[in-house]
Amino acid sequence: MSKTRFGFWPRPWHIAAAGLSAEPVADCADVVEFINKHERALDGWMHPPLGRRFSSALGLSVPWMPATAYGLPSTHELNLDTDDEALADFSIALIGFLDGMRLVREGWNHFYKTPIEPAKLVDFVCTEDEMSRAVDMATRRWRGLDRDCQRWMFGAIHWYCFTAAYEHQFERFGGLYIVLDTLYRVHVRLGGSAAGTRAEQAAVLADAHRIPLPDWAQVHTIDNKDVSRLSTLRNEFFHEGRYGGEPIGFDAPVETITLDLEAFVTRVILGMLSIDCAYVRTPATTQQRHGLDVS
């Protein structure tokens, strides 16, 4: 048995699944009120504190600068039927992901801004009852994976939520493509069909989870090479330092591919965790909020 405090999560929800529960701590309501009224809270996000750090090289204090790391108070406690720390980390990240937030265990930090309101990071809405069922499905699936796949699935959720803290589209694109790569690796390890080329990876994942394939993931043959708009952006980004055809930071694609890619990988994550819901089979290009509709 293990108990792990985590947060910051403003929901007074009680989550129950096989071998797992999450409950608000006694002062949850007071903590939520304090954070919501905090001077660094703006539009549902908490921003890093400013501080002056001493420079030993210069022998003086440097100007006011954002902190490189900061914490938020815990609001909930996770109870497991095992002492598996990796399962605790995964369960906390999963609960946050399902409610569109980045949740971490007590003592872990945030580096940039982080959500203090639900539904900031995803395009679906999950009810309290649905969350208990989704957590039950996902943790049962996670327990059955080998250790590598367990780490990769935690990493995919963690990095997806972390990427949302970046300010620039090109930063988020790079992070989201890493998430997509990680999910494809899990897919292949679990015996899923392999893509013939990198351009086909998104299409393979879409087919495996019955996700409508976005236009930007459609594969075309050009000069005897299989390419898609996504793979072209990826190759330019990682191999040429370009995004939207120009050096990174000087332009961006005209299409909403970063928003679409966010929506696409959320569907793949849920599908890969065996969370049976209608949302997974909705288009990732609608730019609207969906109900999760867990079966």
Side-chain angles (χ1 to χ4, degrees), residues 192-225:
S193 59
T197 63
R198 184 176 292 279
E200 297 173 336
Q201 290 181 354
V204 165
L205 291 172
D207 181 66
H209 301 289
R210 293 187 290 160
I211 304 168
L213 186 65
D215 289 343
W216 44 259
Q218 297 282 351
V219 178
H220 307 278
T221 302
I222 299 175
D223 295 331
N224 296 318
K225 292 182 180 179

Side-chain angles (χ1 to χ4, degrees), residues 48-68:
L50 297 177
R52 300 187 71 171
R53 298 190 295 277
F54 183 79
S55 171
S56 57
L58 298 176
L60 47 79
S61 295
V62 298
W64 289 90
M65 301 173 68
T68 56

Side-chain angles (χ1 to χ4, degrees), residues 15-93:
I15 305 303
L20 176 157
S21 67
E23 308 284 341
V25 298
D27 62 345
C28 177
D30 293 335
V31 171
V32 171
E33 181 179 12
F34 170 75
I35 292 297
N36 285 338
K37 293 179 178 179
H38 201 281
E39 62 182 2
R40 299 195 328 267
L42 177 66
D43 193 29
W45 295 82
M46 179 63 74
H47 294 263
L50 297 177
R52 300 187 71 171
R53 298 190 295 277
F54 183 79
S55 171
S56 57
L58 298 176
L60 47 79
S61 295
V62 298
W64 289 90
M65 301 173 68
T68 56
Y70 67 98
L72 291 178
S74 295
T75 51
H76 290 69
E77 183 174 79
L78 177 75
N79 300 285
L80 295 179
D81 63 356
T82 174
D83 293 326
D84 190 342
E85 293 294 303
L87 176 59
D89 294 340
F90 171 77
S91 301
I92 292 167

Side-chain angles (χ1 to χ4, degrees), residues 117-170:
E117 287 182 5
K120 286 292 188 181
L121 308 185
V122 295
D123 66 339
F124 61 80
V125 176
C126 180
T127 67
E128 182 176 4
D129 179 61
E130 285 181 318
M131 184 172 289
S132 287
R133 286 181 281 148
V135 169
D136 185 62
M137 294 173 188
T139 51
R140 286 176 187 271
R141 174 63 163 163
W142 189 90
R143 289 178 193 242
L145 300 176
D146 64 45
R147 275 300 183 185
D148 281 339
C149 286
Q150 288 178 347
R151 284 192 290 266
W152 293 336
M153 286 308 305
F154 167 72
I157 294 175
H158 160 75
W159 196 240
Y160 173 89
C161 294
F162 188 91
T163 295
Y166 289 138
E167 293 292 338
H168 303 292
Q169 184 187 143
F170 61 81

Side-chain angles (χ1 to χ4, degrees), residues 177 181 195-202 226 228 231 234-235 239:
Y177 202 95
D181 256 353
T197 63
R198 184 176 292 279
E200 297 173 336
Q201 290 181 354
D226 288 339
S228 67
S231 68
R234 181 262 179 204
N235 291 338
H239 297 303

